[in-house]
Amino acid sequence: ESVNGLVGECESSGCRPGYYQSASSSNKCIKCHSSCKECEGGEENKCTACLGNIPIQKESAASSGLCVDNCPGGQFQSGTSPVVCTECYATCKKCTSQDLNQ
């Protein structure tokens, strides 16, 4: 299980939700940042899913991101698992979807 509450042994299928695999040891799992439900690293901007229905603001579609209370201007909340901030249509400052008229 856990050592000092932070590091535990990985199961054969990898780390359980809320933990990520240590870069230095393939059999160690480290707890995610407190804002992350799931992650790929220990920093607050390495979340792959957030607690509750909080969206992830990502730098790119394939990256992990930061859990935010609200998506910033020019983005809208989309998806369900995980909830993410998605870019609006290029000519929109605010939107509810990527459609031009939304």
Side-chain angles (χ1 to χ4, degrees):
E1 290 291 318
S2 66
V3 178
N4 298 329
L6 296 175
V7 180
E9 295 295 321
C10 290
E11 299 173 10
S12 60
S13 61
C15 299
R16 64 182 177 215
Y19 291 80
Y20 66 96
Q21 193 164 342
S22 169
S24 62
S25 176
S26 63
N27 67 339
K28 295 290 181 190
C29 292
I30 303 171
K31 188 161 179 55
C32 296
H33 185 270
S34 61
S35 65
C36 303
K37 179 179 179 181
E38 297 176 15
C39 66
E40 61 182 24
E43 297 84 16
E44 67 179 354
N45 66 343
K46 297 292 185 187
C47 301
T48 56
C50 300
L51 298 169
N53 201 26
I54 297 173
I56 300 172
Q57 182 181 0
K58 297 181 174 193
E59 291 184 24
S60 71
S63 71
S64 55
L66 180 68
C67 296
V68 295
D69 290 328
N70 297 298
C71 294
Q75 296 184 0
F76 67 98
Q77 185 172 318
S78 67
T80 56
S81 184
V83 178
V84 296
C85 293
T86 302
E87 293 289 326
C88 296
Y89 189 78
T91 59
C92 299
K93 289 183 181 179
K94 285 183 163 182
C95 65
T96 55
S97 77
Q98 282 185 316
D99 294 337
L100 179 58
N101 61 352
Q102 300 290 313

